[in-house]
Amino acid sequence: MGKIIALANQKGGVGKTTTTINLAASLATLEKTVLVVDADPQANASSGLGVNIQEVECSLYECIINHADVRDAIYTTDIDGLDIIPSHIDLVGAEIEMLNLPDREKIIGNVLAGIQNEYDYILIDCSPSLGLITVNALTAANSIIVPVQCEYFALEGISKLLNTIKIVKKSLNPKLEIEGFLLTMYDSRLRLANQIYDEMKRHFQELVFKTVIQRNVKLSESPSHGLPAILYDAESTGAKNHLALAKEIISKNA
């Protein structure tokens, strides 16, 4: 049974999509079978893995609202063993359309149930909100990775997310665990970055990944080429950081 991991933080610009793309590519490079589910209407994970959004005929939206067969929504990528269910701008309206559906919080979980056995890892890239689609992702997931940007307001908002996780755990998904807090955009030269790292370690101890994702130009450039960093420049710091993260997750789940 594949492990479903949601990447969520209602704060935008913390590196959720970058982490999703590059962690997925790194896991696949380590010979794991991986499915990325793009649950963000901006569809950045889709384009970042080389999917032409204009040509997508079946996306997560069709699976949620039109009950399309999930297999019709699975697209392959340039990396062996890495597939994606792309997103679409229509997903913006899906939350309103879902309001009247039965078991509305469990729709994404039901969509993925039939294919969970076919992958080692399923990574859900959530939008920067705590709306119904994100609640669906948390209800479907076994665990959650919380990317945290190394900046002044980083710790703000985590309490809101933790509260949402608590509510989901209590009423919808008792098996939901925190896989870990991941520090992103880390610059060891900045005192602030080190302070935030220490603060996170003090608060969350073992839940903070040993791996940190450093600020890296190649990591920022690679999505515009529709490639994860490992294909764009395998020797870059960004590629190496995510490979280390993938190894940490595999050993944690061994």
Side-chain angles (χ1 to χ4, degrees), residues 93-249:
E95 300 210 336
I96 295 162
E97 294 176 68
M98 288 161 78
L99 287 175
N100 299 321
L101 298 177
D103 278 343
R104 61 190 181 193
E105 298 90 358
K106 296 180 179 171
I107 297 170
I108 289 179
N110 294 336
V111 166
L112 297 177
I115 53 168
Q116 194 174 350
N117 285 336
E118 295 166 32
Y119 294 93
D120 295 316
Y121 291 96
I122 296 177
L123 305 183
I124 308 178
D125 183 30
C126 299
S127 68
S129 78
L130 294 177
L132 191 50
I133 303 263
T134 299
V135 169
N136 258 265
L138 297 180
T139 305
N142 303 107
S143 67
I144 173 172
I145 290 175
V146 184
V148 179
Q149 188 181 353
C150 286
E151 54 134 76
Y152 184 66
F153 294 113
L155 302 174
E156 274 190 13
I158 286 184
S159 58
K160 200 180 272 184
L161 179 65
L162 291 176
N163 200 35
T164 302
I165 293 169
K166 203 160 106 186
I167 293 165
V168 169
K169 208 173 156 132
K170 192 175 170 191
S171 52
L172 295 164
N173 180 7
K175 68 181 190 300
L176 182 66
E177 298 295 335
I178 293 176
E179 188 79 25
F181 292 91
L182 175 69
L183 288 157
T184 62
M185 306 179 206
Y186 179 79
D187 186 341
S188 58
R189 295 167 304 179
L190 299 178
R191 201 169 73 201
L192 180 65
N194 293 305
Q195 282 172 346
I196 286 166
Y197 182 80
D198 293 342
E199 183 104 344
M200 290 295 292
K201 271 305 231 190
R202 201 172 71 243
H203 273 290
F204 302 111
Q205 295 156 357
E206 294 309 306
L207 285 177
V208 180
F209 284 110
K210 292 184 181 72
T211 308
V212 295
I213 308 299
Q214 291 162 273
R215 275 199 185 278
N216 180 240
V217 175
K218 298 285 187 208
L219 200 55
S220 311
E221 287 175 358
S222 60
S224 63
H225 297 270
L227 294 170
I230 207 158
L231 285 189
Y232 182 63
D233 183 353
E235 289 304 305
S236 66
T237 306
K240 287 176 178 169
N241 287 167
H242 285 94
L243 205 53
L245 176 65
K247 286 175 182 168
E248 194 175 336
I249 287 169

Side-chain angles (χ1 to χ4, degrees), residues 49-104:
L49 283 171
V51 175
N52 184 340
I53 313 296
Q54 314 306 326
E55 290 172 9
V56 168
E57 285 177 15
C58 187
S59 69
L60 182 62
Y61 174 83
E62 281 73 25
C63 296
I64 292 173
I65 302 298
N66 305 334
H67 310 293
D69 184 339
V70 66
R71 289 172 200 285
D72 293 337
I74 296 174
Y75 292 72
T76 56
T77 69
D78 291 340
I79 295 181
D80 281 349
L82 174 55
D83 295 340
I84 181 165
I85 295 177
S87 180
H88 193 276
I89 191 67
D90 288 349
L91 208 54
V92 169
E95 300 210 336
I96 295 162
E97 294 176 68
M98 288 161 78
L99 287 175
N100 299 321
L101 298 177
D103 278 343
R104 61 190 181 193

